[in-house]
Structures are given as structure tokens and as C-alpha cells.
Amino acid sequence: MNLTGKSVAITGAAGGLGSAIAREARRRGATELALLDVDETRLAEVADQVGGFPIACDLGDEQEAAAALAQMESKVGLVDVYAANAGVNFFSDLTTAAAEWDRAWRTHVLSSAWAFRKLAPAMAARASGHLVITASTAAISLSPKSVAYTVTKAAQLALAEGVGATFRSRGVLVTCFCPGGIRTPMLDRMSDDGSHSRRAHEEAHTPEAAAAILLDGIEAGRALVTTQTRTRDDLAQRGADYEAWMADVVDRFASDRTGWSG
């Protein structure tokens, strides 16, 4: 899908990757930008910069999410591209409180599912539309720092695959974006002196570079977009020899001070 003249909605748009996606979409000719985020102040600043329409909301709350989607529809109609990019991350293991698990589940999985439930049938009715979900390389390669993040990111990949398989023949494309590290405050908050964190920082892309890779993938109609070849290598090894892949993951986790066990 060429973005020229298209309408694009982006969640988590107040900063980091989300705001970079907004800027890159505008640069590629998108004419309508709906920007959604819980941070009203920063969202307004980004909206001013790119000429977008800000919608302040907590997408992890079903009622707020429904109201935000209705507001989006009233302002820009049925969007051509909806990028579910909102995310949270924090150190977590098997002892992490249920409330934190719930926050990750609602922000990553349910907010996307609620939006796709509304938008996918409407896009299918006109035989055109593109749904995007930002997961992470952790959905494929795992992360030793956060069990809640890894589990919910894997669920996002499964959601994208399921919706994509259901609606692709009806003209609706679904892209799952599984980037490696991106140089944002979220990555900085998860840093320590472990080898996994050091490598994540060394290999991290700028938000602008990651956004360009994603939008290239959207315009090419790709179902899976990654920023690192290692992610696809992991996916291939996981399918070809799961036991060898798991042994490699064990070695990676062993080099870090924290892990899923707490």
C-alpha cells in the first residue's frame, strides 16, 4: 500500500517509535494522521509537529478504547492503516503481581484485539485496509528481562497471524513488526550490565530508522517485518531444530543476572 493520500492511525504516538512512524508516514504522503496515546501533553506536541489529530486515551481500558475509536472515525473516517504501537515494559518474572501482568496484557494484546475487532470487518467490506501491530523480536527470540513482556509480545504475533489469515483473502493485510532494540527511554529503563542488554543497545536502531523499515514493509505488503536478520535466523532455527534453539536461548539467559525465575 502506497501511503500517498492515505489516512493512518498510530497508537503510542506521543514519543519514541510511535511519533517517528507519524513523521515518516507524513513524509511519505499520508494526508490524515490520527494519533492516540495516554500522554495528552506530549501527544499534543507531536500532533502539532506533524499536523495530526490527537486522541488522548488509555487504550488498555475497553470503554476508553471504544470511545477513542469512535472519535477517530468521526474525525478521519475509516483509516487506511491502523498501527497498534502502544507498549509498556518493565522488569518482571514469575513472581510479578497480577496487576502488572494485566497491564501488559491489556496494553499489548487486548487494545489491539478491540481495535481489530472493529476495523477488520469494516476494511473487509470495502476490500482494502492494513492493520499493523508492533510486537518485538522478543516474540520470537525471547527476552531474559521480562516474562510479561515476552509472553504478551508472543501473543501479539499470534493475534496478527490469526487476523491476517482470516482477512487477507478479503483485502485486509496485517503486518506484525518485530523490531530489535530501539533507542528509546523504554530501552534505557531496561538496561543493566548484562550481555543481553549490552547487545540490545549496541544493535539498537533509532526510532526514525525503525519507522522507515516498518513503513517499507507496509508499502510492500509484508506480513512480518524485522529490523535484525538475527530475528529471522532465530525463527528459522526454532522451526528447523527446536532443541538446538532452546539450548542457545539457555546460554543467552545464563549470561544475564536476571531472568524468568526471579
Side-chain angles (χ1 to χ4, degrees):
M1 176 185 288
N2 189 302
L3 293 180
T4 301
K6 297 298 191 294
S7 57
V8 180
I10 304 146
T11 75
L17 178 62
S19 61
I21 294 171
R23 290 189 293 271
E24 182 66 12
R26 180 65 84 193
R27 191 187 71 78
R28 296 187 185 212
T31 53
E32 299 274 6
L33 292 175
L35 309 177
L36 299 84
D37 201 287
V38 71
D39 189 332
E40 185 172 1
T41 301
R42 291 178 62 200
L43 183 65
E45 294 172 356
V46 174
D48 285 342
Q49 293 168 6
V50 301
F53 180 77
I55 303 174
C57 58
D58 177 3
L59 293 168
D61 180 282
E62 186 171 9
Q63 290 185 335
E64 282 198 44
L69 291 173
Q71 186 179 1
M72 180 181 77
E73 186 175 29
S74 70
K75 294 296 183 180
V76 301
L78 178 60
V79 294
D80 296 297
V81 179
Y82 182 90
N85 173 73
V88 295
N89 200 2
F90 46 87
F91 290 108
S92 64
D93 55 37
L94 297 179
T95 68
T96 296
E100 292 296 272
W101 275 88
D102 186 60
R103 181 164 68 102
W105 182 253
R106 286 177 172 274
T107 303
H108 295 155
V109 184
L110 290 183
S111 66
S112 301
W114 294 329
F116 290 6
R117 179 178 63 191
K118 178 178 177 61
L119 297 174
M123 289 177 171
R126 71 178 186 193
S128 176
H130 205 125
L131 300 171
V132 182
I133 191 165
T134 297
S136 166
T137 189
I140 295 169
S141 305
L142 306 187
S143 168
K145 297 302 178 188
S146 176
V147 58
Y149 185 79
T150 297
V151 169
T152 54
K153 288 298 175 178
Q156 284 185 309
L157 175 58
L159 176 62
E161 291 171 340
V163 176
T166 301
F167 285 92
R168 191 178 188 90
S169 63
R170 299 167 63 186
V172 182
L173 299 182
V174 180
T175 294
C176 188
F177 186 35
C178 290
I182 300 175
R183 294 171 195 161
T184 65
M186 181 183 292
L187 183 65
D188 292 339
R189 285 194 297 271
M190 296 300 292
S191 67
D192 66 7
D193 61 356
S195 63
H196 183 275
S197 294
R198 285 197 301 270
R199 184 168 65 175
H201 278 79
E202 290 168 358
E203 297 177 346
H205 287 68
T206 65
E208 292 73 21
I213 292 170
L214 171 58
L215 293 185
D216 284 346
I218 292 171
E219 293 191 327
R222 292 174 59 186
L224 177 67
V225 176
T226 63
T227 60
Q228 296 174 345
T229 56
R230 181 164 49 84
T231 304
R232 289 183 177 270
D233 291 344
D234 265 1
L235 185 61
Q237 185 187 21
R238 192 171 185 168
D241 189 340
Y242 188 86
E243 300 304 324
W245 172 79
M246 180 56 73
D248 184 49
V249 170
V250 169
D251 288 341
R252 294 183 212 172
F253 278 35
S255 68
D256 279 277
R257 296 179 303 169
T258 58
W260 285 30
S261 67

